[in-house]
Amino acid sequence: MTTIETLGRSSITDDIVIGDHRPARLLDNSQPITFFPAGSEIYAQGEKCGNLYQVEFGAVRVYRLLADGRRQISAFHMPGEIFGLEGFGTHQFFAEAICATGIRILRPSSSDRLELLPLALENLARSQEQLLVLGHQNAIERVAAFLLEMSERQGGMRLVELPMPRSDIADYLGLTIETVSRVFSKLKAKGVIRLPNLRSVELTKLKTLQNLAA
Amino acid sequence: MTTIETLGRSSITDDIVIGDHRPARLLDNSQPITFFPAGSEIYAQGEKCGNLYQVEFGAVRVYRLLADGRRQISAFHMPGEIFGLEGFGTHQFFAEAICATGIRILRPSSSDRLELLPLALENLARSQEQLLVLGHQNAIERVAAFLLEMSERQGGMRLVELPMPRSDIADYLGLTIETVSRVFSKLKAKGVIRLPNLRSVELTKLKTLQNLAA
DNA sequence: CGTTCCCTTGAGTCTCGTCAAGGACCGTGG
DNA sequence: CCACGGTCCTTGACGAGACTCAAGGGAACG
């Protein structure tokens, strides 16, 4: 990736930096935006951490790899959300851009330490929610919960955009892509959802879906 | 539960308070210990939160209930560990004493806010670990991981005490008690573990167990 | 000594993973 | 514009693993 220095401010793209991270000074909106192409790595397990990352556009997956190659996606991050707070010395996860993604890299100063607690608690709450899903839900319940979660995080719209491929959904829900696909088909056959195209879902029977999520 | 006021200091039980929570002043060791009998509730979902709880002796389970009665235990807490940091306004979980348990109730002051971040991150890390287990591990891998986790948290001993019943292990690992029991039997048949009694396990082939945990 | 709770074991069922094949979408290049 | 290749998605058949239902055993407690 190459870096483009920004000098002026005449367009919205002027503060976009393509390429590697640049140090950010404060937890505010004056930081430049770094562009990550689809599939590119934002940070890797084992790298030292300390920065935070705010999604401006696009989407991010955060995951770990097991020894045998299995992958557990622990979270997706959508525009507006902040991620990267996951340990003390080094990152415990990989973070990748799912599609073309703009990231604002934030370097919290020590005076921002108190701001981090709510963030950590939010991440914790979401992990716990995920534990509930992975612990005791079957395939239909998992997919239903996933669709409802995505809908909520996009403002409760009936038409939900899914920037990630089925394989990501599978690794997030602890299923296989075949099972995810089958559940999509079954929900579609029951009229609970519509699939206008591969990457979007219309929740036509919201209540039914909520019941399925249990 | 009844409350016993403490006046003297002539024995180790002198600062034990039986019964409901008493306000604690600081995050230190000068707080009284509250005693909870086996099965008693420490806090409930929906209660306002703010206090922290340190296990002095015994063990605690933290869990959520689903609408249909299924239960997901999100964590066990052993002596020395601090729990109760799980949200902003109200508790999102139930906490119960597994067996006779002594709890030091801590009321962190605002100056302790910075101390909470490491605690939150630790909880987060443990949740993520659990996500890995529930997401992609089969029954044997889950039980093996559980036994190793318990062993580590008890100082890496080969003889591990399991204060909780099989039903708790099942709800922690996202399995049924029958499956947990069958895996125990299978591990025992293979000589990987011994079961001196119901509530203790000896890890006779540690390496095999580590391989099984994958 | 009896009751109760917890644990173990067995048999049958069902869900989901595996393996395999085929189809849709999308870029590139002719 | 169309052919082509690759990637992603869907669907089917089959089998393994875990759950359900059911019965029996063992330890703790009064």
Side-chain angles (χ1 to χ4, degrees):
Chain A
M1 289 189 282
T2 56
T3 300
I4 298 176
E5 288 298 333
T6 63
L7 296 172
R9 279 201 145 269
S10 55
S11 86
I12 57 164
T13 58
D14 271 2
D15 62 346
I16 292 188
V17 176
I18 297 179
D20 281 333
H21 312 169
R22 279 159 52 108
R25 281 141 303 201
L26 282 169
L27 188 59
D28 67 3
N29 277 3
S30 68
Q31 305 315 315
I33 296 176
T34 304
F35 178 75
F36 291 89
S40 61
E41 178 181 292
I42 298 169
Y43 56 76
Q45 189 171 8
E47 280 183 12
K48 73 172 173 52
C49 62
N51 290 344
L52 294 180
Y53 305 83
Q54 182 167 26
V55 182
E56 285 295 319
F57 58 87
V60 172
R61 61 176 163 251
V62 177
Y63 65 92
R64 289 181 67 173
L65 290 177
L66 284 78
D68 57 3
R70 286 177 295 186
R71 184 181 66 157
Q72 175 66 42
I73 293 182
S74 68
F76 295 114
H77 292 291
M78 312 301 277
E81 299 179 356
I82 294 174
F83 65 96
L85 184 65
E86 60 190 46
F88 301 93
T90 59
H91 281 294
Q92 303 301 306
F93 297 85
F94 295 90
E96 283 177 3
I98 292 174
C99 50
T101 298
I103 302 279
R104 222 183 270 280
I105 299 175
L106 312 167
R107 169 170 297 186
S109 66
S110 55
S111 62
D112 296 322
R113 288 289 294 276
L114 276 181
E115 314 270 347
L116 299 183
L117 184 58
L119 190 59
L121 289 179
E122 196 179 321
N123 286 346
L124 184 58
R126 201 167 269 173
S127 293
Q128 307 279 14
E129 208 61 43
Q130 189 67 358
L131 275 185
L132 224 65
V133 171
L134 296 187
H136 285 285
Q137 313 262 81
N138 63 24
I140 292 183
E141 291 169 330
R142 292 182 199 204
V143 172
F146 172 74
L147 291 176
L148 290 172
E149 180 193 345
M150 283 295 140
S151 169
E152 278 178 30
R153 289 164 70 176
Q154 291 179 23
M157 306 296 293
R158 293 184 100 83
L159 187 61
V160 182
E161 298 297 321
L162 302 179
M164 70 291 289
R166 299 285 187 270
S167 56
D168 282 1
I169 300 176
D171 286 345
Y172 179 63
L173 297 178
L175 301 170
T176 60
I177 56 174
E178 293 94 334
T179 300
V180 170
S181 184
R182 271 186 260 267
V183 172
F184 271 69
S185 298
K186 182 176 279 185
L187 291 176
K188 182 173 143 192
K190 286 186 180 175
V192 180
I193 62 172
R194 287 200 329 116
L195 298 171
N197 60 66
L198 277 179
R199 296 295 159 89
S200 44
V201 182
E202 189 185 344
L203 314 184
T204 45
K205 292 184 184 173
L206 205 55
K207 272 200 168 177
T208 308
L209 204 59
Q210 287 162 346
N211 288 337
L212 287 175
Chain B
M1 287 189 284
T2 54
T3 299
I4 299 176
E5 288 298 333
T6 62
L7 295 172
R9 280 201 144 269
S10 56
S11 88
I12 58 165
T13 57
D14 271 0
D15 61 347
I16 292 188
V17 176
I18 297 179
D20 283 334
H21 312 168
R22 281 160 50 109
R25 280 140 305 201
L26 281 168
L27 188 59
D28 68 0
N29 278 4
S30 67
Q31 305 315 314
I33 297 175
T34 304
F35 178 76
F36 292 89
S40 61
E41 179 181 291
I42 299 170
Y43 56 76
Q45 189 171 8
E47 280 183 13
K48 73 172 176 48
C49 62
N51 290 344
L52 294 180
Y53 305 83
Q54 183 166 27
V55 182
E56 284 295 319
F57 58 86
V60 172
R61 60 177 163 252
V62 177
Y63 65 93
R64 289 180 66 174
L65 290 176
L66 285 78
D68 58 3
R70 284 177 296 187
R71 183 181 68 154
Q72 175 65 43
I73 292 183
S74 69
F76 295 114
H77 293 290
M78 312 301 277
E81 299 178 356
I82 295 174
F83 66 97
L85 184 65
E86 61 191 43
F88 302 93
T90 60
H91 280 295
Q92 304 301 306
F93 296 85
F94 295 91
E96 283 177 3
I98 292 174
C99 50
T101 298
I103 302 279
R104 223 181 268 282
I105 299 174
L106 313 166
R107 170 171 294 188
S109 66
S110 54
S111 62
D112 296 321
R113 289 289 294 274
L114 276 181
E115 314 271 346
L116 300 182
L117 185 58
L119 189 59
L121 289 179
E122 195 180 323
N123 286 345
L124 184 58
R126 201 168 268 174
S127 292
Q128 307 280 13
E129 209 61 42
Q130 189 66 358
L131 276 184
L132 226 65
V133 171
L134 295 187
H136 285 285
Q137 314 263 82
N138 63 25
I140 292 182
E141 291 170 330
R142 292 181 198 205
V143 172
F146 171 74
L147 291 176
L148 290 171
E149 179 193 346
M150 283 297 140
S151 169
E152 279 177 29
R153 289 164 71 177
Q154 291 179 23
M157 304 298 291
R158 292 184 100 82
L159 187 61
V160 181
E161 299 296 321
L162 302 179
M164 70 291 290
R166 299 285 188 269
S167 56
D168 282 1
I169 300 175
D171 286 345
Y172 179 65
L173 297 177
L175 301 169
T176 60
I177 57 173
E178 293 95 334
T179 300
V180 171
S181 183
R182 272 186 259 267
V183 171
F184 270 70
S185 299
K186 183 176 277 184
L187 291 176
K188 182 174 144 192
K190 286 184 179 176
V192 180
I193 62 173
R194 288 200 329 115
L195 297 171
N197 60 66
L198 278 178
R199 295 295 160 88
S200 45
V201 182
E202 188 185 347
L203 314 183
T204 43
K205 292 185 183 172
L206 205 56
K207 272 199 167 178
T208 308
L209 204 60
Q210 286 162 347
N211 288 335
L212 287 177

